[in-house]
Amino acid sequence: MWLILRFYIGYTWLTAGFGKVTNDACTGKNAGAALGGYMSGVMETAADGVVAGWYATFLESVIIPNAVIFSYMVAWGELLIGLGLIVGLLTGIAAFFGALMNMSFLLAGTVSSNPVMLVVLGWKVGNV
């Protein structure tokens, strides 16, 4: 069962990361543009109370000013998490960073597949 879940979650991370690594707005000459646009949307919802105040402050003071660096970190992080889970190399570390990234996305107000992935990765980290 863990193998199937690990492959599924790994494939999800790998495809998301590959899409970002090959996207000019994430890692190319316009790096940070996609993350900057995403953060603008997050900050708009922060005013409505969707995003916790402390997290909005963190995004505004740390992430947004360093959007280019964090854009590369997110893109390559997603790709490496996916590879680690699929190949079975450092799966505990990959699961930990996947869960951390999922939690960051959830705190920013993005739901999508993040809750399911967070639960599965949390189980994996707990069973290492």
Side-chain angles (χ1 to χ4, degrees), residues 35-87:
L35 184 64
Y38 173 71
M39 286 296 126
S40 295
V42 169
M43 296 311 290
E44 286 176 17
T45 62
D48 298 333
V50 174
V51 178
W54 66 269
Y55 195 69
T57 302
F58 168 73
L59 294 176
E60 195 170 41
S61 60
V62 177
I63 304 297
I64 293 173
N66 301 299
V68 173
I69 294 167
F70 280 98
S71 184
Y72 278 94
M73 289 174 62
V74 168
W76 284 102
E78 288 180 356
L79 186 78
L80 292 172
I81 289 166
L83 282 174
L85 292 173
I86 290 171
V87 173

